[in-house]
Amino acid sequence: MTTLLDTLSRRSQPSPARGREVLRERGQREVFCGLTGIVWLHRKIQDAFFLVVGSRTCAHLIQSAAGVMVFAEPRFATAIMEERDLAGLADANEELDRVVDELLARRPEIRMLFLVGSCPSEVIKLDLSRAAQRLSKKHAPDLRVINYSGSGIETTFTQGEDACLAALAPEAPVAPAGAPPSLLVVGALPDIVEDQFRRLFADLGIPRVDFFPPRRSGDMPPIGPSTRFLLAQPFLGDTAQQLEARGAVRLPALFPFGVEGTTAWLKAAADAWGVAPATFAAVVGPGQERGRRAVERHRAALEGKRLFLFPDSQLEPSLGRFLARELGMTLIEIGTPYLNRTLLAQELDALPEGVVLSEGQDVDRQLDRCRAARPDLVVCGLGLANPLEAEGIATKWSIELVFSPVHGFDQAGDLAGLFARPLRRHALLRV
Amino acid sequence: MKLTVWTYEGPPHVGAMRIATAMKGVHYVLHAPQGDTYADLLFTMIERRNHRPPVTYTTFQARDLGADTAELFKTAARDAFERYRPEAMIVGASCTAELIQDDPGGLAKAIGLSIPVLPLDLPSYQKKENWGAAETFYQLVRALVDQSVDRPPRLAGDRPRCNILGPTALGFRHRDDLLEVKRLLRRLGVDVNVTAPLDATPDDLRRLSAADFNVVLYPEIAGAAAAWLERTVGQPAVRTVPIGVGATRDFIEEVARVAGVDPSSALEDCATRLPWWSRSVDSTYLTGKRVFIFGDATHAIAAARVASEELGFEVVGLGAYNREFAREVRAAAEKLGLTALITDDYLEVERAIADLQPELVLGSQMERHIAKRLRIPCAVISAPSHVQDFPARYSPQMGFEGANVLFDTWVHPLVMGLEEHLLSMFRDDFEFNDEAGPSHLGHGAPPASPAPAAPVTSALTWSSEAQAELAKIPFFVRGKARRNTEAFAQERGIDQIQLETLYDARSHFSR
Ligand code: SF4
Ligand code: SF4
């Protein structure tokens, strides 16, 4: 049992992460599970429904993470398992079928149903993939049923989106052999950001660009060896593997946070399509300029300030890179729940020397390190933010980074603003 | 399996967290996967607590399942003890850990800590948050109370002493209710021995037996513990919940009876303005306002009494989400000639509200959202609550000041009396637009013009003339007019509502 040993003897070992020291932690983790992704995924795929097969805890987690935004009946729900479901598996399957029937009667417009596994459903080994097949067959052709796990024993926060998209990828049609190369942008982005990128790619002369996941389940992009894909988020490792298994080719790049990241990310696509440097410069120039100006406005608040990032979304290395290089912040520690060294190779290269990278968590110990370092700003989850503020440490809750538009040139200023605001507020208050 | 969109209560271990977080010197080691740490934010964000809840989660992962989750638990418990040095520890499992059956109680015992360690058995697949809180508090009391303490016989002139049981973390206005109740007790000449669980230490629980009696503020939390104390240490329990003027007076009288003191000065000290506010002429318009009430049993029952007896509303629906108290709610509903709605299905509550079309909803945050969607005024009276239900200002529900708060917060969402009058007087004035809604409701007020609700039966239609006439009726009675007219038409087998139908219905109902 590695966890125990690692908890007792924190290991620091030189890792393959390009010669950087990575602190591996295996203690208490203060993070959400992958179910949380449903909060933004259900907004993105507009005819999909997410049915968690889990416990009251799972239902309570999603509604707490969503901040009880009950404006309409949401496109997610939980099939809460009860005592009698735990008795025998046959019953659980029948029960699930009944719940799905009930759901479809209420929401006949649903075209895609995700059965989302949880810790309890996994521990009792409820086979949701078989259930999905069975239900798909039963409700074809009106409804496709797909399963993935958002359980906390397997996924951390944003990994839920990865698991969802990895399960969705095989549903995409096969791009015909000899199809002209097409670009696929992978990761749920707000529609407004998607449209901005779409315009930029069109101006670069890339003829076909698709986004994954699509806004409607019927608009699945074809995927095959002619597909070149850009990951919009650093946490999509399993999805990338699925796409690669179908012959698609990943275009490695920095992630599109900040002006530098967005430029590098677009450049990776431009290079794959052989876009002339002059064309590239002309197309991205105005966006870069706007982005730089917007970012610059926050420099005064952030420059030289010391930053500590707790592990949460896996965006931490990319955010650290942006804040260090474009805003002059000093990085103390970058925590990430999981460090994908392949996908993050460019990011790790771009990080300044001297920053501690930590993977996994032992929250009490990490809080000790954090307090000892007295950072000016801490990026952390909702459970830690107010307690740290009460100790006089400014915080930025990390969940906002996945709920608000932060990618691309035109959001670079907003992204910087998310970090500047708490500091500005601290400077402002006289109470 | 139960299809659930929103849930009123969290799992039972969240109830246990509410007790541990309310107390001092107690640490909770919870065998649970990482996602369950979300529960911390309920306390740090919603209640704005400035400390992390005293909870250590083992956060086992899939790879640990094949290995040794039990060892992981022991390490977590040992580390938590070393770091936090609690005076007592509670240990237990969340829903997932319950399935892997590691026996946290046995494991904690095996590591031999020098403090009391209390194993909690909270069946996650049967029970919910309130039950978990009550059970945890009961178990703590049972394990810690010193039963050997002999209450010295009270001499003439000695002040009686009571415990206040129930206020806890994440409770709806518990912080302020407590102050209000302490004020009442002081006025009665009753001393407070221990308040628990809020701010109590394990040592305080040991001393519970030194009081003469217990005041149970929230039966959902403290009912079980108080019953046990009554049985084993012979402390009677005061169970009247002092929400509203009448109930506060009843509470004073009950305490006086149990404590053997004179209630008259406390009864005279009527710091409440509710009775006069309710009798003043501006309140005439409150008469018979149709109100729907839903929440936890205690708050819902109390609200029904205040609404009907102290504000002159007509209670058209009453219900609660915690089945443990279904009997009490049914009895209260029956008294009002209603059938109680006992359900934790949010959609069922929504249907009931949509069908009844009340003029005011008193409920939890869940009902607030329903009311917002149906554009019905609403005030929050019960958990589950939102960050705004933990106001900075003093805002109790209990006692005489609490009654003032109830008057203000329930009446505020409604149109004021005089204003209602003006609205109908000027409704035909082309410059006057009743879509603007009552002027005292700022941003966030329900928009005044309800989208036409679905008719009672789908076959029913409105002629355009009748529809136009309906639109002329002020918005605050429009829903009622629509409902009455449709019911009237339906009874008479009319398929299309004409202008005459509208007026026939009006004369029919105004008899
Ligand atoms: S802001 Fe959102 S979460 Fe808060 S009360 Fe309004 S709808 Fe609910
Ligand atoms: S960690 Fe597991 S049990 Fe907890 S909410 Fe997430 S999926 Fe449900």
Side-chain angles (χ1 to χ4, degrees):
Chain A
M1 221 222 56
T2 43
T3 307
L4 167 67
L5 291 177
D6 288 359
T7 313
L8 294 178
S9 62
R10 180 176 72 210
R11 284 185 302 167
S12 284
Q13 53 167 231
S15 81
R18 310 255 164 154
R20 277 177 193 283
E21 294 258 319
V22 175
L23 189 63
R24 298 258 188 75
E25 298 261 65
R26 289 262 188 103
Q28 178 186 321
R29 299 160 71 99
E30 179 84 18
V31 283
F32 289 157
C33 59
L35 295 184
T36 324
I38 292 171
V39 177
W40 63 89
L41 287 166
H42 91 283
R43 311 281 323 148
K44 186 70 213 177
I45 316 175
Q46 290 158 14
D47 55 358
F49 194 99
F50 292 78
L51 181 65
V52 177
V53 183
S55 63
R56 183 167 303 282
T57 316
C58 307
H60 203 228
L61 164 113
I62 303 175
Q63 103 181 29
S64 306
V68 199
M69 282 292 176
V70 203
F71 287 117
E73 195 180 321
R75 285 190 309 279
F76 59 78
T78 308
I80 295 186
M81 296 194 283
E82 291 162 330
E83 196 67 24
R84 54 202 175 86
D85 300 309
L86 302 173
L89 281 185
D91 286 334
N93 279 308
E94 275 168 34
E95 283 289 288
L96 184 58
D97 290 13
R98 181 184 57 72
V99 165
V100 169
D101 285 345
E102 190 184 327
L103 177 71
L104 293 176
R106 285 186 65 86
R107 308 295 298 261
E109 76 283 8
I110 294 304
R111 291 289 161 266
M112 180 172 276
L113 175 66
F114 289 97
L115 295 180
V116 188
S118 66
C119 304
S121 78
E122 266 162 41
V123 169
I124 66 164
K125 301 207 161 47
L126 182 57
D127 190 342
L128 291 183
S129 72
R130 274 188 41 214
Q133 279 172 17
R134 183 178 68 237
L135 288 161
S136 263
K137 210 180 282 165
K138 178 171 168 193
H139 297 285
D142 297 338
L143 180 77
R144 272 194 284 184
V145 186
I146 299 168
N147 79 289
Y148 74 90
S149 169
S151 82
I153 54 177
E154 282 178 339
T155 60
T156 301
F157 195 29
T158 49
Q159 280 177 321
E161 176 175 337
D162 190 23
C164 172
L165 299 189
L168 190 60
E171 298 290 312
V174 179
S182 66
L183 178 63
L184 186 67
V185 176
V186 183
L189 292 170
D191 290 355
I192 181 170
V193 176
E194 231 178 74
D195 293 340
Q196 289 167 8
F197 284 146
R198 206 181 277 283
R199 284 193 293 273
L200 282 168
F201 289 124
D203 292 348
L204 286 172
I206 298 175
R208 168 147 197 178
V209 183
D210 293 299
F211 287 79
F212 184 75
R215 295 183 196 184
R216 300 196 65 83
S217 64
D219 300 338
M220 292 281 265
I223 296 170
S226 56
T227 306
R228 304 286 171 271
F229 70 93
L230 278 173
L231 293 182
Q233 303 278 25
F235 48 73
L236 297 172
D238 287 354
T239 308
Q241 270 183 16
Q242 283 291 331
L243 297 172
E244 281 163 352
R246 294 184 63 168
V249 179
R250 181 172 69 91
L251 305 175
L254 290 180
F255 289 90
F257 302 105
V259 176
E260 184 188 24
T262 306
T263 305
W265 189 76
L266 293 169
K267 185 81 168 49
D271 288 350
W273 264 261
V275 177
T279 313
F280 183 76
V283 170
V284 302
Q288 283 178 319
E289 194 39 45
R290 278 198 306 277
R292 267 189 216 111
R293 254 184 284 125
V295 167
E296 202 47 40
R297 275 203 294 278
H298 299 289
R299 179 176 272 278
L302 295 171
E303 191 165 28
K305 293 288 185 334
R306 303 167 69 249
L307 178 70
F308 194 111
L309 295 114
F310 276 73
D312 205 43
S313 61
Q314 290 187 48
L315 297 183
E316 294 81 8
S318 309
L319 296 172
R321 179 261 303 158
F322 164 62
L323 292 165
R325 292 170 63 113
E326 293 184 46
L327 289 141
M329 293 192 85
T330 305
L331 304 176
I332 302 171
E333 176 169 336
I334 299 180
T336 175
Y338 173 66
L339 187 62
N340 187 322
R341 289 158 180 81
T342 315
L343 299 186
L344 284 164
Q346 284 74 15
E347 294 285 3
L348 294 174
D349 282 347
L351 282 176
E353 292 302 317
V355 51
V356 175
L357 269 171
S358 63
E359 183 181 12
Q361 192 171 26
D362 183 324
V363 67
D364 285 319
R365 261 196 245 264
Q366 195 166 30
L367 282 166
D368 290 345
R369 288 200 300 277
C370 176
R371 290 185 182 110
R374 295 301 305 176
D376 297 299
L377 184 66
V378 171
V379 179
C380 62
L382 295 171
L384 299 177
N386 268 336
L388 285 170
E389 291 278 353
E391 294 177 29
I393 299 176
T395 61
K396 166 78 232 111
W397 345 319
S398 45
I399 198 158
E400 216 171 331
L401 299 163
V402 291
F403 283 1
S404 34
V406 293
H407 294 72
F409 293 134
D410 289 305
Q411 280 67 238
D414 301 342
L415 180 58
L418 288 180
F419 299 93
R421 195 173 309 129
L423 291 173
R424 233 180 257 140
R425 186 162 182 77
H426 269 238
L428 209 67
L429 294 182
R430 293 279 178 276
V431 293
Chain B
M1 250 175 233
K2 179 131 179 56
L3 183 61
T4 308
V5 183
W6 305 106
T7 118
Y8 284 92
E9 293 183 72
H13 70 258
V14 168
M17 282 184 72
R18 291 176 57 188
I19 303 297
T21 304
M23 289 185 64
K24 298 195 182 321
V26 174
H27 199 88
Y28 186 15
V29 179
L30 182 63
H31 209 14
Q34 58 184 0
D36 293 10
T37 61
Y38 81 87
D40 284 358
L41 82 85
L42 304 172
F43 300 91
T44 64
M45 296 301 290
I46 296 182
E47 200 179 8
R48 295 185 216 250
R49 283 193 171 253
N50 58 6
H51 275 89
R52 293 169 64 208
V55 181
T56 294
Y57 306 81
T58 56
T59 63
F60 58 85
Q61 298 184 306
R63 60 163 180 259
D64 303 321
L65 290 179
D68 198 349
T69 48
E71 200 54 41
L72 185 65
F73 181 87
K74 281 159 107 179
T75 310
R78 227 182 267 121
D79 287 355
F81 175 72
E82 290 300 328
R83 180 175 281 269
Y84 296 103
R85 295 278 159 189
E87 293 163 43
M89 191 182 270
I90 52 182
V91 299
S94 78
C95 52
T96 308
E98 186 182 329
L99 298 173
I100 59 177
Q101 300 183 330
D102 272 340
D103 181 22
L107 294 170
K109 204 165 160 199
I111 57 177
L113 299 178
S114 52
I115 51 167
V117 176
L118 188 76
L120 284 178
D121 189 13
L122 308 176
S124 311
Y125 299 91
Q126 294 170 25
K127 304 289 190 183
K128 289 177 281 186
E129 177 179 334
N130 276 329
W131 185 89
E135 172 72 8
T136 303
F137 185 52
Y138 159 68
Q139 293 290 353
L140 276 166
V141 167
R142 216 179 106 128
L144 294 172
V145 159
D146 187 348
Q147 296 187 40
S148 68
V149 171
D150 256 341
R151 281 194 299 284
R154 206 147 43 82
L155 305 173
D158 277 3
R159 289 162 64 93
R161 305 198 323 150
C162 73
N163 301 312
I164 302 177
L165 304 182
T168 189
L170 211 60
F172 185 73
R173 306 291 163 84
H174 289 195
R175 175 197 73 191
D176 298 345
D177 285 349
L178 184 57
L179 290 181
E180 203 52 31
V181 166
K182 281 184 173 167
R183 182 195 290 180
L184 291 175
L185 292 169
R186 208 177 311 125
R187 189 75 202 191
L188 279 161
V190 174
D191 286 341
V192 176
N193 176 49
V194 168
T195 300
L198 196 63
D199 293 332
T201 63
D203 259 337
D204 290 334
L205 295 193
R206 289 191 181 95
R207 298 191 295 114
L208 279 173
S209 44
D212 302 312
F213 65 99
N214 292 309
V215 169
V216 183
L217 288 192
Y218 307 100
E220 273 87 350
I221 309 288
W228 182 83
L229 286 166
E230 190 152 19
R231 278 198 310 278
T232 39
V233 281
Q235 289 170 330
V238 169
R239 289 176 185 275
T240 303
V241 176
I243 295 180
V245 176
T248 299
R249 294 172 148 272
D250 293 351
F251 172 84
I252 290 172
E253 273 163 19
E254 191 181 348
V255 171
R257 198 168 53 245
V258 173
V261 296
D262 176 12
S264 48
S265 104
L267 285 173
E268 273 159 28
D269 173 36
C270 241
T272 179
R273 299 185 188 88
L274 184 144
W276 170 241
W277 254 238
S278 206
R279 282 173 197 280
S280 68
V281 288
D282 191 73
S283 297
T284 318
Y285 79 102
L286 297 175
T287 315
K289 286 265 183 211
R290 306 173 70 255
V291 51
F292 180 92
I293 300 173
F294 194 86
D296 68 26
T298 298
H299 286 89
I301 293 170
R305 177 169 176 192
V306 175
S308 58
E309 294 179 9
E310 299 178 16
L311 289 166
F313 291 157
E314 184 197 349
V315 179
V316 294
L318 174 62
Y321 54 79
N322 48 341
R323 279 176 199 285
E324 293 89 346
F325 289 79
R327 202 160 36 90
E328 288 84 341
V329 183
R330 289 210 176 93
E334 236 164 71
K335 268 205 250 162
L336 294 162
L338 300 167
T339 308
L341 176 64
I342 308 291
T343 180
D344 62 351
D345 183 345
Y346 167 84
L347 299 172
E348 208 177 312
V349 179
E350 180 173 62
R351 258 193 312 274
I353 296 176
D355 288 350
L356 287 165
Q357 291 272 331
E359 291 160 279
L360 177 68
V361 171
L362 301 175
S364 70
Q365 274 299 329
M366 302 285 185
E367 284 66 47
R368 203 180 73 81
H369 283 100
I370 295 172
K372 201 169 175 179
R373 193 153 57 245
L374 298 174
R375 302 180 174 183
I376 300 171
C378 175
V380 175
I381 56 155
S382 157
S385 35
H386 187 42
V387 62
Q388 72 200 29
D389 300 316
F390 293 89
R393 66 174 186 279
Y394 184 56
S395 190
Q397 303 285 290
M398 292 186 174
F400 292 127
E401 180 56 23
N404 295 339
V405 170
L406 296 185
F407 185 93
D408 288 350
T409 46
W410 297 5
V411 168
H412 175 89
L414 300 168
V415 186
M416 300 303 209
L418 188 57
E419 200 171 30
E420 176 160 341
H421 197 68
L422 294 173
L423 280 172
S424 31
M425 203 150 79
F426 290 112
R427 69 168 194 260
D428 291 328
D429 188 322
F430 71 97
E431 286 190 327
F432 177 81
N433 174 10
D434 75 1
E435 310 278 299
S439 58
H440 71 285
L441 296 182
H443 146 91
S449 159
V456 180
T457 66
S458 44
L460 212 52
T461 57
W462 285 70
S463 75
S464 53
E465 240 188 338
Q467 187 86 51
E469 197 69 9
L470 181 68
K472 292 181 197 157
I473 296 174
F475 69 90
F476 43 84
V477 285
R478 199 179 297 148
K480 190 173 178 180
R482 175 175 198 110
R483 196 167 16 81
N484 285 348
T485 311
E486 283 171 356
F488 179 84
Q490 211 184 355
E491 252 170 47
R492 283 158 189 74
I494 298 170
D495 291 338
Q496 198 185 41
I497 294 169
Q498 307 295 340
L499 203 51
E500 300 80 72
T501 328
L502 184 68
Y503 281 100
D504 287 349
R506 192 177 145 193
S507 74
H508 174 81
F509 282 103
S510 62
R511 270 179 305 158

